[in-house]
Amino acid sequence: MALHFSEQELAGRRAAACAAMQEQRLDGLLITRQESMFYLTGYDTFGYVYFQCLYLGADGDCFLLTRAPDLRQAKHTSTIAEVHVWKDVEGAEPHRELRDLLHQRGLAGKHLGVEYESYGLTAASGKKLDAALDGFVTLSDASTLVSRLRLIKSSAELGYVRKAGELGDHALAEAHRLARPGADEGEILAAMQAAVFAGGGDYPGNEFIIGSGDDALLCRYKSGRRVLDDVDQLNLEFAGAYRHYHAALFRTVPIGKADPLHIEYHKAAQDALLACEDALTPGHTAGDVFDAHAKVLDAAGLADHRMNACGYSLGTTFAPNWMDWPMLYHGNPVEMRPGMVFFIHIIIFNSDAGIAQCLGRTSIVTETGAESLSTAGLELFLGE
Amino acid sequence: MALHFSEQELAGRRAAACAAMQEQRLDGLLITRQESMFYLTGYDTFGYVYFQCLYLGADGDCFLLTRAPDLRQAKHTSTIAEVHVWKDVEGAEPHRELRDLLHQRGLAGKHLGVEYESYGLTAASGKKLDAALDGFVTLSDASTLVSRLRLIKSSAELGYVRKAGELGDHALAEAHRLARPGADEGEILAAMQAAVFAGGGDYPGNEFIIGSGDDALLCRYKSGRRVLDDVDQLNLEFAGAYRHYHAALFRTVPIGKADPLHIEYHKAAQDALLACEDALTPGHTAGDVFDAHAKVLDAAGLADHRMNACGYSLGTTFAPNWMDWPMLYHGNPVEMRPGMVFFIHIIIFNSDAGIAQCLGRTSIVTETGAESLSTAGLELFLGE
């Protein structure tokens, strides 16, 4: 049994979810987001690539419907006592099996919430779910019910978050060790990801972003590694991940020689990052944090080279995405609270000049301000 | 520009998709599966974690609607000439922006296919899509239209598939080098994944599965590494990935000393694997391959310890899943054709005895039989 939280803490989370259901007059919740399942029960799998559903009643009743390969997975990783299995055969109808299970519990006519915003419930699967439950129960979208509870981390969770921060710094140290003219991006990625795994960490929710030359102006992973030129730029967005908690970092490393724009943009990026971290305090909103970023960059004449968002919450997200709810963009009313965790990323891309300069790190919101999860310096590092 | 296929090959694939649309009387296709986008245009991103859609008309017309971070990504990795961006603001309605774009092209009243079975189109997003297009066009599920075309690989694709096979063998060599009493699973995972990255390979579509002790009986990734006991068992399901093409392998390594059941089950697993590979020839169906597996294991008295599926197609799948369509289970009528690629996994789990013994590798289907992508031996390897 690989349970990473006390049974008491997991029970407390389920009780909070049940209370939220009662507030929203829901009799139960059909849970399809893997991060919700992990949060409420410990259940840890990528079995959500096929249809599975965790039912949690407002009364605390709980069962899982999944495929055979996840029966043992649920028993080894979670507190879920009741697991039902649907079988792969031509014409399998697992959504109808879910209906039958709900029916056996006397839930006909009840009002259930559904996590429709979920990689674990594709649009095709959602249609089958709606069809199977049509006329049997009333369904409402409750995609953020558990995500809102996940937003503020407990003391045990913050312990894992800090460990993720350490692993992120280990990956950064590997990047600094290897980033130089003639280095192979593939070797750098191998060493960075290995630092996380060797430290007991996990795969990140999405791939590390690694790009150089013109491709340094990308902020997604893509296939195809290259060897760094004598004068080059290497863009790295990555995360330590521990117990699926993420602590992301962002750096652009000039190779061989820094362009004057790298130096100018780095100063602006550092100023913007620190301004955002100043706003990571109770009394500010997610929108305020974004505005702090925009104010600094716009004053530096970089309005055309910045993004429409400057970060997001981090937590126990599963593939394909480590970006958690909510995002930091203009007007977002979510208020900062102690125990929240935000990744601030300052992205400056000048397409005409072909220059990238990005800087980012992750912090815990505390009563008195931002606690950075990284102990690495923010100064411009030159790979030479 | 990081295009991994000739523009001519990509244009040929789009032409085949257009022909399939015409056969199905579709005027166009709303593409949300990242593997379809990569296959048809080269577009390589994890931007599908938010709503994006590639439109391909039966007449060859093509555009992408995505978020700002993917504008450059599309330009650097794909042949898509026309990219539209939707902006993150409170109340953003990208599905309505898609409708407007379709309207400008005179598509009112037309019949469009949709990839509803897609991690890139959550149930919530699918509802918004349906609502935005309701009364404007007729929609039909066409989730497998492109997947069926992807099933048979071209010569260029098979080159990448073979390279993935080499990287998988490198990862296996690292596992054999390190698997011994007292070894840390985290170090083993680090070395295996590093072998793939250092060889220019990609992240796998899902995490490598690594488990030992009781957790060797799991076939999903989970957080939490352990140190191997003096006598132990290490279960490893992993894949080389190159240009997002996968070649998966599966091994159970007894540590210190093999249990007699490991030896007995390994022989059965090897017999079953070879029987499946014999069935990987034109004239057989996916169901026949499964039946070959079941026949061997059932004759060995292992009917209660096997799975309901023994593998699946592999290709350019993106996170969170490397398992491609179709799966090898009883009765599946898909016929084997040259150029298909299948991962055969023989999974034997005896929960009562606490013994796992798994064996698997990936092959190309040829006119004359299975071409294994792995040159590693199938014999039982003891980690000591």
Side-chain angles (χ1 to χ4, degrees), chain B residues 256-308:
Chain B
K257 186 181 168 207
D259 187 282
L261 285 179
H262 283 131
I263 296 165
E264 176 192 335
Y265 292 174
H266 176 268
K267 184 183 179 313
Q270 183 166 328
D271 290 347
L273 175 62
L274 295 174
C276 288
E277 289 181 354
D278 279 345
L280 279 185
T281 45
H284 290 100
T285 65
D288 292 339
V289 181
F290 174 83
D291 292 346
H293 143 270
K295 187 177 171 188
V296 171
L297 294 191
D298 294 1
L302 297 171
D304 292 342
H305 301 317
R306 66 166 170 83
M307 292 276 167
N308 302 321

Side-chain angles (χ1 to χ4, degrees), chain A residues 82-120:
Chain A
E82 183 179 336
V83 182
H84 299 269
V85 165
W86 65 270
K87 190 175 167 182
D88 297 295
V89 288
E90 278 293 295
E93 296 189 309
H95 305 81
R96 289 192 173 272
E97 295 186 38
L98 177 63
R99 180 193 196 278
D100 293 343
L101 290 165
L102 296 172
H103 188 267
Q104 287 162 21
R105 297 175 119 84
L107 291 170
K110 298 291 187 182
H111 183 195
L112 304 184
V114 183
E115 291 186 339
Y116 283 117
E117 183 55 57
S118 166
Y119 306 113

Side-chain angles (χ1 to χ4, degrees), chain A residues 44-47 49-50 67-74 76-77, chain B residues 206-212 214-222 235-238 250 252 306-309 312 322-323 343 345-349 356 358:
Chain A
D44 187 5
T45 184
F46 62 79
V49 301
Y50 298 113
R67 290 170 69 246
D70 277 299
L71 173 61
R72 286 187 192 84
Q73 192 81 13
H76 284 220
T77 67
Chain B
N206 49 252
E207 298 92 336
F208 286 7
I209 291 104
I210 178 165
S212 57
D214 289 343
D215 289 342
L217 278 74
L218 300 180
C219 44
R220 302 284 185 226
Y221 177 85
K222 65 172 177 55
N235 213 10
L236 297 166
E237 188 179 4
F238 56 102
F250 210 158
T252 304
R306 66 166 170 83
M307 292 276 167
N308 302 321
Y312 37 80
W322 79 38
M323 295 177 266
F343 173 46
H345 62 58
I346 311 297
I347 298 176
I348 302 174
F349 288 152
C358 304

